[in-house]
Amino acid sequence: MPLHVPPAPAPALRSVLAALGSPTAVREARTPALRSVQGPLSPELPLPVHVLERIGPSGLAPRTSLAAWRFLIRSSERAVAAADTMLTPDGWTFSHFFEGPYIASTELALRQAETVTPHYQPRLLSIPELYMLTLWLHEDIEADASGGTLAPTDLLVPLAPAPPGIAAHRPHRVADLLPVMTLRITPGPGPLLGSPA
């Protein structure tokens, strides 16, 4: 398997296991699938979630920051929900459960990535300005998962639903997709002087 899933921080995994074992946490979650599932649930495929903080035509390298660790919550054959953890002053702790289209889309993108020849470290990259989430396939498999440098040859696989004009589940090199995202994010010129605002 060419994917080298980085190990999640042990406190993050423990906090998700504790939340799964808490009837209150599961019952109060806004995840009908999680509440209705029968049988054991297990957190799998921990992925670091990075947020793209800066993108634009300024010539500066894009910067990301680690925002969460996400676990897919599996019930027998499939993932039914996900759990996010967050970093607090006391360390990594459970944040919330959720479900939606990104769960199945993440599973599909990971399965597709397993067939790629080079080896990658899988991560998730959120681009808030585009309401976009991608599977980030980082070429440096030994890199610290909390590090956030996008390499031009890394691959980004937009997850569904993707923004209009960007195909979901099609891998793009960062060097190719970044200019497209930059054009989408960069605001147009402001109103001309003397023109109505």
Side-chain angles (χ1 to χ4, degrees):
M1 176 168 118
L3 294 183
H4 294 260
V5 179
L13 176 58
R14 281 195 304 269
S15 71
V16 171
L17 288 169
L20 282 172
S22 164
T24 304
V26 172
R27 187 174 55 250
E28 291 179 359
R30 294 184 182 147
T31 52
L34 192 61
R35 290 194 306 266
S36 64
V37 73
Q38 299 295 317
L41 296 167
S42 61
E44 297 181 3
L45 289 170
L47 295 173
V49 181
H50 291 259
V51 176
L52 189 60
E53 292 183 339
R54 182 182 62 210
I55 185 173
S58 59
L60 298 173
R63 187 177 64 209
T64 71
S65 64
L66 181 64
W69 276 86
R70 178 166 298 166
F71 296 80
L72 293 181
I73 306 300
R74 185 169 298 281
S75 169
S76 64
E77 300 285 317
R78 64 185 185 92
V80 294
D84 270 4
T85 61
M86 63 183 181
L87 189 58
T88 68
D90 296 324
W92 288 99
T93 187
F94 172 75
S95 173
H96 63 280
F97 292 116
F98 65 95
E99 61 183 65
Y102 286 132
I103 308 299
S105 188
T106 300
E107 275 195 308
L108 175 59
L110 287 166
R111 279 195 308 272
Q112 290 172 332
E114 288 177 350
T115 66
V116 176
T117 303
H119 294 262
Y120 290 102
Q121 182 189 88
R123 304 169 172 198
L124 293 172
L125 179 66
S126 172
I127 301 102
E129 292 92 342
L130 294 177
Y131 300 98
M132 182 177 174
L133 184 65
T134 69
L135 177 63
W136 171 11
L137 298 174
H138 191 49
E139 279 192 330
D140 184 357
I141 60 173
E142 301 298 325
D144 180 353
S146 65
T149 304
L150 279 166
T153 54
D154 285 352
L155 296 179
L156 295 178
V157 183
L159 301 181
I166 297 177
H169 296 286
R170 180 175 296 162
H172 302 272
R173 286 180 349 127
V174 167
D176 298 331
L177 188 57
L178 199 57
V180 174
M181 294 189 306
T182 301
L183 287 174
R184 298 262 179 127
I185 293 173
T186 306
L192 298 173
L193 289 177
S195 66

